[in-house]
Structure formats: C-alpha cells, structure tokens
Amino acid sequence: MLFRIAPLSLLIASICAQAEVVQLPAVVTTAARLPQATKEVIGDVTVLDQKAIQAAGTINLPELLARQPGVQISSTGGAGKASSIYLRGNSDKHTLVLIDGMRFGSATLGSAALQHLPLALIDRIEILRGPAASIYGSDAIGGVIQIFTKQGQKGFHPSVEIGYGSNNTVDANAGISGGNEATSYALNVAHFKTDGINLSNNPKSSGFNADKDGYENNSVALSVRHKINEENELGASLLQAWGKNQYDSSVSDANYRPLVQSYNYREESKNGSANIWTKNQLMPDWSSMLKFGYSVDENKNITPKAYNDYTDNISKIQTTQTQWSWMNDFDTRAGTIQIGAETLEQKVSGDQQYDQDQRRINSVQAGYLGHFNIFSMQLNARSDDNSLSGRKNTGSAAFSLELSDAWQVGTSFGTAFKAPTFNDLYWPNSGNPNLLPEESINKEMFVRFNGKELSSSLTVYKNRVSNLIQWAPTPSGAWIPSNVAQAEMQGVTLAADWKANGMLAGFSYDYLNGSDESNGANKGNELARRAKYSGLAYAGITLDAWTLRAEVQAQSKRFDDAANKKELAGYALTNLSASWQVNKEWSMQARINNVFDTEYELAKDYGTLGRNAMLNLRWQH
C-alpha cells in the first residue's frame, strides 16, 4: 500500500512547484552524524535556525515543534505542563532528544521534558523524521530532535530581550558572546514566568480547582571553543533549566472521596545537559571527535501528606546519564566511512526504590556516506549491548538520485528499537524484568524540489512497531507490563515554501493512518491523541523594516483513549505576528495567537490557551 502512491510523487511535487519549513542551512549534522551539505542530505530533515525561532514568537518548545511537518503534540494545560511529542505518529517514548549530541530525557518515563527547555537559549533545532537507531541507538524509532545551544562569533555581541503578554507572562533573556580567530564563547541567561491558565477545564474532574496554575523557569547556557591549531580544537557547552510548576489534583479519604483540591500542588524540576569535547585531525583523511557528556532529568512532586494533613510531602525522582563517545570519520575516494564507539550509563534515584537502579549500554557503529555524480547512498549499522535487556542490532540504508539541479528522489529502509524503561522493568510489585525491547521496521520514499525561490517535498512512509509494551494480565491474574502490542503508522507529508520579492508563503500537510494492530478489543482503532489530518499554512510580507505574517494551524478530530470512546474535536487556530526592525540594534515583535479565541483540547479535560498576545523588545549589538 505504501509504494502504490509513490508514482504520484512527481506529479504532486510538480503541482507544488507551480504553487514554513525553513530551507536547510549549508551544513546539517543529525541526519548522518557528520556534516553534510544541503543537497547531500538523504534523511527527512527540518531545520529551525535562530531567525526562524525568533520569528515564531512561541512561548515554549513543544508549541514550536507542533508547527513543523510530521509533528503532533498533546499537552496538559499550558506553559511548563507535561507535553508529549508524536513524530510521524510514534509514541513520545520513540523520539530521541539530544542536546549538543548528548542524550536527554527520563529513563523512568522514557521521554524527554521538552516543555522545560527555553527557546531563548537555543541556537537551532534539527528534526530528523524516520528511524535512526542504527546511528544513535535506543529510542529513535520515530526520529531524533537535536537541540544546539548558542555559539560565539568573532567580535563582542551583547544582547537583551524583554517580553510581556497575556496571563501576566514575562519572558526575558540576556547574553554576551564573542571571540577571535582562535577562541569563541557565549553565555546566556533566561527567565520566564506566567500566571498560566487553569490546568483542568472539567468541573467534574476529581482534581478540579478553579484557579490558575502558574509556571516559572530560570535557565542558563554556556558554550566555549578553542582552536589550538588547524588540526586540533576543543570545546564545551552547558544548558541547565530550573522550573516551578503548579497543577490541580486531589487526595482521597478512607471512603475514596476526592478531597483537598484547594492545596497548592506543585512540581520543581531540574533539566539539562553538559559536555566537553575535542576534535582532532589525526591524519589528512582521518578526523576524530572524543566527547564526554552528562544530562539530568529531576522532578520533585509536592503534595499534602493526607486528606486531613496539609503538611508538604515531597517525592523525588531523578535520571542521570553519563555518556562517552568516540567518532572517527575517514574520507576516501569512494566516500566517507564512519566508525564509532559509545558507552552510556543511566542511573535512577529518589524516593522510589528499584530492584535495579542503573544500567550500562556499550555500543559500536559504522556508517558510510557516498556521493557518485547524481547518485548518493547512506548505510549505517549499530550494535547496542544493554546490561539489563541484552544486545540489539539495527541497520539502515538510504539512496537518492538527482534528476536535475533542483529535483531529487530517494528511498530508505531502517530498523529501530526502544529499550524498556526502569518503570517497565522494576517498578515495585508490578515491573516485569523479562521485557524485550520494542522493535520497528520502517520504509519510505521521497521526492524533493529545491529551487531559488521555491522548495517542496513529498515523503511517503510506513512504520510497523512490534513488541510494544502494554499492561496485560498474567496467568495468576496480576497485571504487569508485557510485550503484547503492535502498531502501524502509514502516512504522507507534503510541504512547500516560497520566498521572493519580499513575500513568502508556504504550507505543510500530513496524512497519518496510525492504527493499533494488537490482537484485542482495540485492534484497528486509531492511536490515541493522533490526528489523521493536520497541517499549517502561512503567508507573509516584508515592507522596509516591517515583516507581517499570518498562519493557520489545524488538526482533525482525534481520540483521547485507545478504545476510541473519548473524542477530541478537530480545530483550526489563526495566528498573526508583526516585527519591526527599528534600527541596526533595536527590534520589536508582536504576536497574537488563537486570534478567534477557539476552544480546543490537546488532552481530554485539560485546558489550552485562548486568545493570547505577546510583545517583545530586543536589543543586540
């Protein structure tokens, strides 16, 4: 079924060529784990550079990602609240998140708290859609989101930005960056605070409290690099964020009645990553990068001790990941060969005691990237040896053909996996230490057009995931996590962007048929919180120092549950923005989101922002 519609690709792309994914920069690194020129990229990649991030005017990272092709999200109540990213319809646990090449996320939940990472400290984002376990290991079933922190440039460049908006929202950041021919640095800090909205929008919910649930985030990012000589360079980077979050909940009494809704339920989080690296040209055709990194995902949950005792009860859970990697690139006449080795140690700690609280994953990998006139190919293979769940081997192959300077067609095939989380394996009295990794097989085809004023792409994919972990009964009647589920995601992503004579326009459209293929009552049902149809269209114009933009973001109906009983209605949001470059150093930006105050839900019984606005003033030298 997947490739029956592939012959339509040239026709549809041709129509687009007669008709905002940001055009790729000169170098992309995530698709092959080594620098690639734009036209050489075979993977399905979206790049959001600093200009695109600033122009978006969004208040959090998940909201920005939701406007990109192939990405949907669910959210539980506004800024700072728990969000899930569905890349090509895959579970949020099936997207690997990297910060400057280092793994970031929770080894207990299996996902990354992207809602706590501030946009103000991010230089660019690369979104790789499709399996990448043969390059990065576990988790990359749906793809990879890599976040790059800001880097210094030659000279001295201080900056300050302050923003104020709806719900008493304050968004401020400041930074200094600079450098010379040998050394560069960047230091940035950010503060975000909002009164928020009411997390729960259902008065009948057990935790409902008619208040606003606020959020505060303070963060810092640092990067430095030094070029010793033409062959040797070293550097380091850090991104750390501290969050304070309010939410609604309740505590039950002896008769299971929900009480204590008026208590100030809250969370405190610490999330971030740091790394140090050295890059060396060991021989004319042999470059090496040795990197050491550390990431943390920590959460403190503060609740009352009991329904009749409002004393704070603090529970803590933390994941730390320590990673060494050594990547070697060999340039040959036939292409680039990459050989690498990694070791990753994951530790969990806190109030919850696990039978096993750490594991080590030792990995080796090899890759090949070759370009032969109009033909390109990328091959990758990797073996991951997990101390708790055993060895897993993955591979991928991708090919592309340049039909002309502007047209490119290609196809790829890849396998991927997700190792069980510590909660799946060792949660007291319900974990299952015999779980196997979740596995996937993906195949796709694409056609792309990259002209001077227009770029467009069409990608068709099919991804089948097996051994999915779900709760299931044992012969004794107890319910534990088990490898009993399967899912299939088939889809089409179509995107186009045009820019000429101070005007710009574009759109992205996604068709997703995500279905539960497990043998059970839900077989054939749509996957929860995934819309079958979604997209975004935008148009803008630049008039001297002014830039005006309008966009419409829409999704069809979805279901909040696997049984497809709780429907989430479809919706369309209209957003408007205007920016004014006052002079070389000063600029202003205003944005109104959800102009028509549309009511909608991204998760059942959780609130979303109505009409909201933000005004920013920025100075940069």
Side-chain angles (χ1 to χ4, degrees):
M1 179 65 183
L2 169 67
F3 296 118
R4 290 178 187 173
I5 63 176
L8 296 175
S9 59
L10 286 173
L11 174 60
I12 296 176
S14 178
I15 294 172
C16 294
Q18 324 265 327
E20 173 177 42
V21 178
V22 177
Q23 289 194 7
L24 302 184
V27 175
V28 177
T29 60
T30 306
R33 205 166 180 171
L34 51 81
Q36 288 181 272
T38 300
K39 292 187 66 174
E40 297 175 355
V41 174
I42 304 177
D44 184 13
V45 178
T46 293
V47 177
L48 299 168
D49 61 13
Q50 182 61 207
K51 185 178 180 180
I53 293 172
Q54 290 181 355
T58 49
I59 60 173
N60 58 62
L61 178 56
E63 184 180 343
L64 175 62
L65 294 173
R67 294 173 181 171
Q68 311 312 313
V71 183
Q72 298 185 37
I73 70 166
S74 64
S75 178
T76 56
K81 304 305 185 280
S83 301
S84 296
I85 304 293
Y86 307 117
L87 199 54
R88 284 187 175 176
N90 288 274
S91 163
D92 62 327
K93 298 180 181 181
H94 294 166
T95 296
L96 174 64
V97 175
L98 304 172
I99 301 177
D100 289 333
M102 292 293 105
R103 281 178 169 264
F104 168 73
S106 168
T108 55
L109 295 176
S111 56
L114 291 173
Q115 66 271 17
H116 297 313
L117 300 183
L119 287 173
L121 305 187
I122 297 174
D123 180 65
R124 80 179 193 277
I125 303 165
E126 294 184 3
I127 305 169
L128 172 62
R129 291 172 287 268
S134 59
I135 305 174
Y136 296 102
S138 177
D139 304 354
I141 288 179
V144 178
I145 297 174
Q146 181 155 202
I147 295 163
F148 296 87
T149 53
K150 291 183 176 180
Q151 304 293 310
Q153 303 293 332
K154 188 176 179 180
F156 179 66
H157 308 284
S159 65
V160 178
E161 183 174 7
I162 181 71
Y164 184 80
S166 303
N167 302 309
N168 199 27
T169 299
V170 176
D171 191 359
N173 65 85
I176 56 172
S177 64
N180 54 33
E181 296 292 344
T183 305
S184 63
Y185 63 90
L187 172 63
N188 294 273
V189 295
H191 169 76
F192 178 89
K193 188 174 183 179
T194 181
D195 291 345
I197 59 174
N198 191 6
L199 181 145
S200 174
N201 64 6
N202 183 2
K204 296 181 180 180
S205 173
S206 62
F208 180 80
N209 184 20
D211 65 343
K212 288 188 174 183
D213 298 296
Y215 176 66
E216 181 177 357
N217 184 292
N218 295 295
S219 54
V220 60
L222 170 69
S223 70
V224 61
R225 60 195 305 159
H226 176 68
K227 190 174 183 179
I228 301 172
N229 52 40
E230 292 299 322
E231 290 78 30
N232 301 283
E233 186 179 8
L234 54 85
S237 67
L238 172 146
L239 172 61
Q240 189 76 51
W242 297 266
K244 294 182 179 180
N245 208 0
Q246 296 175 316
Y247 65 99
D248 293 339
S249 190
S250 63
V251 176
S252 298
D253 63 9
N255 296 315
Y256 302 103
R257 294 178 301 177
L259 302 171
V260 203
Q261 288 90 342
S262 61
Y263 176 84
N264 182 24
Y265 294 89
R266 58 201 187 276
E267 296 175 333
E268 296 180 358
S269 59
K270 181 172 72 173
N271 301 89
S273 171
N275 72 85
I276 184 170
W277 54 268
T278 175
K279 185 175 181 180
N280 310 97
Q281 193 72 38
L282 301 180
M283 296 180 67
D285 297 324
W286 176 14
S287 62
S288 167
M289 176 174 278
L290 180 64
K291 181 179 286 190
F292 169 75
Y294 175 87
S295 69
V296 61
D297 180 292
E298 179 182 294
N299 187 77
K300 293 180 181 179
N301 193 29
I302 304 169
T303 62
K305 287 188 175 180
Y307 74 92
N308 55 0
D309 183 355
Y310 280 37
T311 305
D312 288 346
N313 177 63
I314 302 175
S315 59
K316 176 183 175 182
I317 189 72
Q318 181 188 75
T319 292
T320 59
Q321 301 190 74
T322 305
Q323 182 177 347
W324 285 91
S325 69
W326 185 31
M327 305 302 297
N328 298 271
D329 301 332
F330 301 90
D331 293 326
T332 71
R333 292 183 178 180
T336 301
I337 298 172
Q338 185 179 77
I339 298 176
E342 288 185 337
T343 182
L344 171 69
E345 184 177 58
Q346 297 178 323
K347 292 184 179 180
V348 297
S349 60
D351 299 323
Q352 187 63 62
Q353 299 299 313
Y354 295 85
D355 290 340
Q356 298 282 348
D357 60 9
Q358 62 181 345
R359 63 185 175 192
R360 180 175 292 277
I361 302 98
N362 295 319
S363 311
V364 292
Q365 66 184 84
Y368 170 76
L369 186 64
H371 305 284
F372 309 93
N373 195 9
I374 62 171
F375 176 73
S376 298
M377 63 185 298
Q378 179 180 332
L379 306 174
N380 293 95
R382 180 171 168 128
S383 181
D384 294 90
D385 187 11
N386 189 310
S387 61
L388 297 183
S389 55
R391 183 176 296 278
K392 192 65 184 171
N393 301 319
T394 51
S396 62
F399 309 91
S400 70
L401 183 68
E402 290 185 22
L403 302 179
S404 68
D405 288 341
W407 287 95
Q408 181 187 30
V409 296
T411 185
S412 67
F413 171 89
T415 61
F417 76 101
K418 163 74 177 180
T421 67
F422 280 89
N423 284 358
D424 293 331
L425 293 165
Y426 301 113
W427 188 263
N429 302 318
S430 63
N432 181 0
N434 298 315
L435 286 170
L436 299 173
E438 299 172 324
E439 302 175 339
S440 75
I441 298 177
N442 181 87
K443 52 186 177 180
E444 60 189 81
M445 296 181 69
F446 68 84
V447 56
R448 297 173 190 153
F449 175 84
N450 283 290
K452 183 178 180 180
E453 298 177 346
L454 173 71
S455 64
S456 61
S457 65
L458 173 71
T459 304
V460 185
Y461 61 87
K462 180 178 180 180
N463 190 19
R464 189 170 185 87
V465 188
S466 58
N467 282 345
L468 281 170
I469 297 171
Q470 273 188 1
W471 286 81
T474 64
S476 65
W479 286 70
I480 62 173
S482 305
N483 295 109
V484 295
Q486 296 185 72
E488 186 171 276
M489 282 70 65
Q490 297 186 73
V492 178
T493 297
L494 177 64
D497 298 276
W498 171 81
K499 185 176 182 180
N501 302 320
M503 295 182 290
L504 61 132
F507 74 93
S508 65
Y509 167 78
D510 278 279
Y511 166 77
L512 170 67
N513 182 15
S515 61
D516 187 336
E517 297 300 314
S518 310
N519 292 320
N522 297 327
K523 184 176 176 64
N525 285 359
E526 295 181 20
L527 299 177
R529 298 181 179 176
R530 278 81 141 185
K532 181 165 288 189
Y533 309 103
S534 61
L536 180 141
Y538 72 92
I541 187 170
T542 298
L543 301 170
D544 296 324
W546 287 88
T547 299
L548 309 176
R549 173 176 166 132
E551 64 185 30
V552 177
Q553 178 185 3
Q555 284 194 347
S556 63
K557 72 173 185 179
R558 296 134 292 138
F559 294 98
D560 193 64
D561 60 331
N564 287 184
K565 301 296 185 182
K566 301 176 181 179
E567 183 176 310
L568 299 171
Y571 65 90
L573 306 179
T574 300
N575 309 313
L576 302 175
S577 66
S579 61
W580 178 32
Q581 191 68 43
V582 182
N583 55 38
K584 184 178 180 181
E585 297 182 337
W586 288 92
S587 62
M588 296 182 67
Q589 183 185 47
R591 184 176 181 91
I592 303 176
N593 295 312
N594 194 2
V595 172
F596 300 109
D597 202 24
T598 301
E599 294 184 3
Y600 66 105
E601 289 181 311
L602 295 175
K604 195 68 173 177
D605 296 337
Y606 288 97
T608 54
L609 288 169
R611 184 187 299 112
N612 62 96
M614 194 79 182
L615 177 65
N616 291 72
L617 176 64
R618 179 177 178 81
W619 174 81
Q620 183 173 9
H621 179 68

